[in-house]
Amino acid sequence: MRSTGWGLAAPGDPGTAFPAGTTLSAALGLIHFPLLALAVLVVAGQTGATWPERAAAYLAFGLFLGQVGNSNAHELIHRADRRLRRLGVAVYASVLYGHHASAHPLVHHVHVGTAKDPNSPRGRESFYRYIWRVWRGEYRAGKAAETARRARAGKSGPHPFAIYAGISLLALAVSAGLAGLPGVLAHLALAAYVQSQLMITDYVQHYGLPRSRGADGKPEPCGPRHSWNTPHWCSSALMLNAPRHSDHHSRPGVAYPGLRLDETRMPTLPHSLPVMALIALWPAKWRQIMDPLAERWRSRPADL
């Protein structure tokens, strides 16, 4: 295997993360909440900032919370430590997207590349069509999967989706206490920006790579060929190796420092993940670049 880029690879066994990975994830998760509060105060106009400054703060805070914060929350909900998982849930719920903590492991990881996964793009679907479908579909699919899991386990007590809603309401109440109605509106605007970045990341990483069905009608196993990856060291570091997405789907329990990249077996994007996300906002250009690349990977024998 050839591992490329200056990624955050663990020494020795590549499946073993060094301790700093957990420390950094926990710290980023805890920092998220005061940063969100500060963002609300600035964007809501409580700090004396001018309108251009408030707009710049919205973009800056939104980018950090959407790129670094989302990637870290994703890392946390996959951790075995219950405290870390709960921290990831709280981060997602604070930006009004708590249901992702259920939908991602229970739906996306199980059904990625098939019609049962709302977060997998359909054919040549544009991002603008995709985002509205996902925004509705992920909630419904996640709630159904979580309800079914609770029924199988015979669990009682509060439904996780009620907990997500409670944390979201608490976060909005804090923003209201900080800045009144403008604080709530600022929180909603920031949450929408953060959520859109999560969805465009899924769109870019799975566009044009469906799992084929066998004679029995079942989809092929999810493998390295069903996710796009990037080797770029800077964006990989900022996003905690999220661009090493194929290995994450193959080994979702492995912490980010241990994720590997093999460009001979894993589809690779022509530019870094943030750049490709910008291109996805221009559907014609996106299809011009990505459709031929996706077709080449779909036509490759499955064992290569």
Side-chain angles (χ1 to χ4, degrees), residues 44-262:
Q46 301 300 302
T47 62
T50 64
W51 276 104
E53 291 169 340
R54 291 163 65 183
Y58 173 76
L59 293 174
F61 278 110
L63 278 172
F64 183 87
L65 297 173
Q67 296 295 316
V68 180
N70 267 334
S71 298
N72 188 58
H74 166 262
E75 174 72 17
L76 290 169
I77 64 171
H78 278 289
R79 291 300 186 93
D81 188 318
R82 185 175 299 179
R83 295 167 300 177
L84 294 176
R85 289 204 309 272
R86 287 173 175 171
L87 178 57
V89 167
V91 170
Y92 276 131
S94 71
V95 291
L96 318 184
Y97 215 66
H99 61 273
H100 188 72
S102 289
H104 181 77
L106 299 180
V107 180
H108 181 63
H109 271 271
V110 176
H111 301 296
V112 63
T114 74
K116 291 184 178 180
D117 174 33
N119 292 64
S120 292
R122 310 285 191 254
R124 300 177 73 243
E125 181 179 40
S126 73
F127 172 67
Y128 301 105
R129 186 180 296 274
Y130 168 90
I131 192 171
W132 291 114
R133 179 178 59 75
V134 171
W135 196 83
R136 301 188 303 271
E138 187 181 13
Y139 182 92
R140 292 196 296 261
K143 187 175 183 181
E146 191 67 77
T147 301
R149 180 171 71 166
R150 287 169 57 80
R152 289 193 301 269
K155 289 187 176 181
S156 58
H159 194 286
F161 274 58
I163 296 174
Y164 305 155
I167 297 173
S168 295
L169 289 173
L170 176 61
L172 287 172
V174 170
S175 291
L178 290 172
L181 179 59
V184 173
L185 295 177
H187 194 133
L188 292 173
L190 286 161
Y193 190 15
V194 171
Q195 292 174 23
S196 70
Q197 290 177 78
L198 185 153
M199 286 183 270
I200 202 168
T201 298
D202 273 346
Y203 176 82
V204 169
Q205 290 178 318
H206 293 289
Y207 180 86
L209 299 175
R211 290 155 65 187
S212 61
R213 292 188 175 274
D216 58 1
K218 295 181 180 180
E220 64 178 317
C222 181
R225 58 193 279 129
H226 298 119
S227 302
W228 291 103
N229 306 268
T230 68
H232 306 86
W233 70 269
C234 183
S235 56
S236 291
L238 288 172
M239 301 177 73
L240 306 186
N241 271 345
R244 298 184 175 193
H245 207 58
S246 290
D247 197 32
H248 169 67
H249 271 276
S250 297
R251 305 183 301 152
V254 172
Y256 71 88
L259 293 177
R260 300 172 296 196
L261 176 63
D262 179 7

Side-chain angles (χ1 to χ4, degrees), residues 6 17 35 143 234 295:
W6 298 359
L35 276 179
K143 187 175 183 181
C234 183
E295 177 58 32

